């Protein structure tokens, strides 16, 4: 079972997830109807530029990702976003992350790998990008590179020397959904 860990305790997706997962499933079906040629999002893009995205709430759930993207992308848990803090969003059951002036503030989340442009567009719609959240460039830290899944470790190691997004085998440039509104 997936959990979100934050300063407000452990959030069990059995409680929050059921409603959000039903929404994700309905949402994914609606998108596929709107874009009639999309039978399976991950199979649609023959030439894809793989991207990453740091997630810290509902999108850490494999069930939500499966409903939304039609697949579970490679993912690495226990990734750290420094100089940000996670807060409950007023009148909602999901968190928001905002920049923090405290250098000790950090958010633990999951890094999604191998995302296509379409995957990111689906995540944007789900997160209401531009309304509630803005997909923003950030840097994340992988505390223990040796704990990486073998395929992800190979991806990070191979790309750290070739790709500007991989600053080192421990620090990666990626994107995250940052909350735009007041959380209090």
């Amino acid at each position: 079972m997936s959990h979100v860990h934050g300063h407000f305790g452990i959030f069990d997706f059995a409680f929050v997830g059921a409603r959000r997962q039903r929404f994700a499933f309905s949402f994914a079906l609606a998108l596929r109807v709107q874009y009639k040629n999309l039978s399976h999002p991950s199979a649609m893009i023959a030439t894809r530029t793989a991207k990453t995205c740091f997630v810290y709430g509902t999108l850490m759930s494999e069930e939500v990702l499966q409903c939304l993207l039609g697949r579970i992308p490679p993912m690495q848990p226990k990734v750290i976003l420094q100089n940000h803090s996670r807060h409950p969003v007023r009148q909602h059951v999901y968190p928001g992350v905002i920049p923090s002036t405290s250098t000790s503030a950090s958010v633990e989340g999951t890094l999604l790998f191998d995302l296509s442009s379409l995957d990111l567009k689906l995540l944007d719609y789900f997160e209401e990008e531009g309304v509630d959240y803005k997909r923003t460039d950030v840097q994340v830290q992988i505390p223990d590179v040796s704990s990486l899944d073998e395929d992800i470790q190979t991806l990070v190691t191979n790309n750290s020397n070739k790709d500007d997004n991989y600053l080192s085998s421990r620090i990666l440039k990626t994107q995250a959904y940052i909350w735009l509104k007041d959380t209090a």
Side-chain angles (χ1 to χ4, degrees), residues 19-68:
R19 192 169 92 195
R20 189 82 171 188
Q21 287 174 14
R22 282 193 302 277
F23 172 77
F25 182 72
S26 300
F27 183 76
L29 286 177
L31 278 178
R32 289 183 188 143
V33 167
Q34 181 180 355
Y35 299 101
K36 293 177 179 138
N37 59 339
L38 305 184
S39 59
H40 190 279
S42 63
M44 291 168 286
I45 302 198
T47 59
R48 56 196 284 165
T49 304
K51 295 184 171 61
T52 60
C53 188
F54 174 83
V55 296
Y56 53 84
T58 309
L59 290 174
M60 292 171 62
S61 166
E62 290 182 358
E63 294 85 4
V64 170
L65 290 169
Q66 178 66 47
C67 289
L68 192 59

Side-chain angles (χ1 to χ4, degrees), residues 65-83:
L65 290 169
Q66 178 66 47
C67 289
L68 192 59
L69 303 178
R71 68 186 184 96
I72 301 170
M75 47 201 311
Q76 178 62 40
K78 298 187 179 182
V79 174
I80 306 297
L81 175 62
Q82 296 288 343
N83 304 320

Side-chain angles (χ1 to χ4, degrees), residues 14 22-23 47 71 96 137 142 148 159 171 177:
R22 282 193 302 277
F23 172 77
T47 59
R71 68 186 184 96
D137 293 335
I142 301 173
L148 292 174
N159 287 308
I171 307 291
Y177 291 95

